[in-house]
Amino acid sequence: MKRKRELEKVSEIRSAIEELSMMVKLKPGDNHDAAHIPTKPFLHVCNLVIQILDKIGPTMAVLRQDIHQNIQRLEIFHESDPSLYSNLVEIMKKEASEGNARKTTSSSKAFVWLTRSLDFTLALLQKLSRDPEQSMEQAVEESYNITLKPWHGWISSAAFKVALQLVPDNKTFTNLLMGKDGNNETLKEETQNLITLLSPLLEEIHSILRVYDMDRLKST
């Protein structure tokens, strides 16, 4: 509860920065053969992404629900052996060895889709950071097209297209991200810090997904 109260005092972006910084500290060095993605901090970041997506509104409802379900799936797997599965890579190893990694309800698949949701969030923040005057609708659509659409079926893509009409304007979204005590300059700085931390993490995760042949999975 204390942790939750502490997170509520700051913006979602600032909280995500803190979680990502913690992940860097928890990693056991630079040995690539010992790939390590700390499970709990990663899931905390994903929970904060849900709160950021909430600010975009109903457009993100389906994606938000998917993120929540995938977080729950990984949390349940983690709790089966918190010490061993404190590293998400161990979960992938386990399911790969059992031949379960590509099954619909696998935790490995949940990890793949959470990663893609972070890809979408990163792409959106990068676009808005580079061009603050770009319309939210255009930024959301372009971010979706390059991160999620290639892996979605036509039903999901069509539903997303319709929901784009509900995206808020830039000023509304920015104000929601800032919160009551924020300001534009602080938000710009924090957004850039988040981008700087999130980009290398996602690059590492994608390299891990390629190792386990999970990077090209499409929705069923």
Side-chain angles (χ1 to χ4, degrees):
M1 287 296 296
K2 181 180 178 183
R3 179 185 183 82
K4 184 178 180 181
R5 287 196 299 270
E6 288 172 351
L7 291 178
E8 286 174 348
K9 293 178 183 177
V10 297
S11 71
E12 291 85 0
I13 288 181
R14 197 176 309 166
S15 297
I17 290 169
E18 292 173 3
E19 292 292 345
L20 287 164
S21 299
M22 186 185 303
M23 288 180 70
V24 172
K25 293 176 183 177
L26 289 173
K27 289 176 69 61
D30 298 322
N31 183 359
H32 191 70
D33 293 331
H36 188 92
I37 306 297
T39 302
K40 295 298 284 186
F42 177 81
L43 295 179
H44 280 308
V45 170
C46 292
N47 269 313
L48 290 164
V49 165
I50 287 179
Q51 296 176 44
I52 293 172
L53 295 180
D54 279 344
K55 310 252 188 304
I56 302 175
T59 303
M60 296 290 103
V62 174
L63 179 58
R64 184 194 191 287
Q65 184 179 8
D66 286 344
I67 295 172
H68 182 66
Q69 290 174 342
N70 288 327
I71 289 172
Q72 286 185 316
R73 194 177 301 164
L74 282 165
E75 283 177 337
I76 290 169
F77 202 117
H78 170 263
E79 290 305 317
S80 68
D81 190 337
S83 178
L84 176 60
Y85 299 130
S86 62
N87 179 6
L88 277 164
V89 180
E90 292 301 326
I91 294 177
M92 298 197 73
K93 284 181 183 177
K94 170 75 170 173
E95 291 190 333
S97 68
E98 296 174 343
N100 296 327
R102 301 176 76 87
K103 290 185 176 179
T104 303
T105 58
S106 76
S107 292
S108 297
K109 215 166 185 182
F111 185 34
V112 170
W113 284 104
L114 285 175
T115 299
R116 289 170 178 170
S117 298
L118 292 178
D119 288 336
F120 168 80
T121 305
L122 175 64
L124 178 61
L125 293 176
Q126 287 174 324
K127 284 183 177 297
L128 294 175
S129 179
R130 285 195 296 264
D131 185 6
E133 301 304 315
Q134 182 181 23
S135 74
M136 271 295 292
E137 181 177 343
Q138 182 182 359
V140 170
E141 183 173 19
E142 289 178 0
S143 300
Y144 173 79
N145 287 344
I146 62 176
T147 58
L148 291 169
K149 187 176 181 179
W151 317 112
H152 275 171
W154 70 270
I155 294 177
S156 296
S157 296
F160 187 88
K161 190 77 173 177
V162 172
L164 271 176
Q165 300 172 32
L166 302 171
V167 170
D169 59 46
N170 292 45
K171 185 176 180 180
T172 299
F173 180 66
T174 299
N175 287 339
L176 287 169
L177 279 181
M178 282 192 299
K180 293 180 180 179
D181 303 322
N183 62 72
N184 270 312
E185 289 306 313
T186 299
L187 179 62
K188 287 178 185 177
E189 182 180 343
E190 290 179 348
T191 299
Q192 192 54 56
N193 287 340
L194 179 58
I195 290 169
T196 300
L197 286 165
L198 194 52
S199 296
L201 172 67
L202 287 172
E203 286 179 15
E204 180 180 5
I205 291 175
H206 280 292
S207 70
I208 292 169
L209 295 179
R210 285 191 291 272
V211 169
Y212 288 90
D213 194 28
M214 296 292 289
D215 59 311
R216 310 296 294 177
L217 279 178
K218 293 193 174 186
S219 60
T220 54

